[in-house]
Amino acid sequence: PTVVYPKQTAKPLYQGLVTQVRSLGIRVEAALPDDVDAECDFILDALFGFSFRGEVRAPFDAILPRLAQARAPVMSVDIPSGWDVDRPPPPPPPAS
């Protein structure tokens, strides 16, 4: 398994979580693999919570379309990142 953690912080809580993940033999990367479909059998979306509001900013604005286009199944912890819980799902991005 791999955890993609694109916007890392030096806060001790988050550094401790990264240390725990790595101690379990799980890689922590700053970016999605170049070929998501070749590298991922399954994607767990835990980027944003259901209370997220506003525009999606970098680096997540580049990540979300790639997740939406991935052939691997995507399971969201609560709702898919970038969705507004008060509106219908957004249309799928255009195929690349």
Side-chain angles (χ1 to χ4, degrees):
T2 301
V3 170
V4 177
Y5 183 16
K7 197 168 180 181
Q8 299 187 21
T9 177
K11 292 181 180 179
L13 172 67
Y14 296 100
Q15 288 300 306
L17 292 171
V18 168
T19 299
Q20 287 179 349
V21 167
R22 286 186 173 140
S23 75
L24 296 170
I26 299 171
R27 294 181 317 171
V28 177
E29 302 290 342
L32 287 173
D34 290 334
D35 189 347
V36 173
D37 290 319
E39 301 254 350
C40 301
D41 297 320
F42 181 84
I43 298 167
L44 180 63
D45 170 3
L47 291 171
F48 306 123
F50 70 89
S51 62
F52 176 81
R53 296 283 189 265
E55 292 298 315
V56 177
R57 296 183 307 270
F60 304 102
D61 60 343
I63 294 171
L64 295 183
R66 291 187 62 208
L67 293 182
Q69 292 175 352
R71 288 190 303 265
V74 178
M75 170 69 80
S76 297
V77 172
D78 44 24
I79 66 166
S81 292
W83 284 22
D84 182 333
V85 297
D86 297 324
R87 298 197 170 143
S96 58

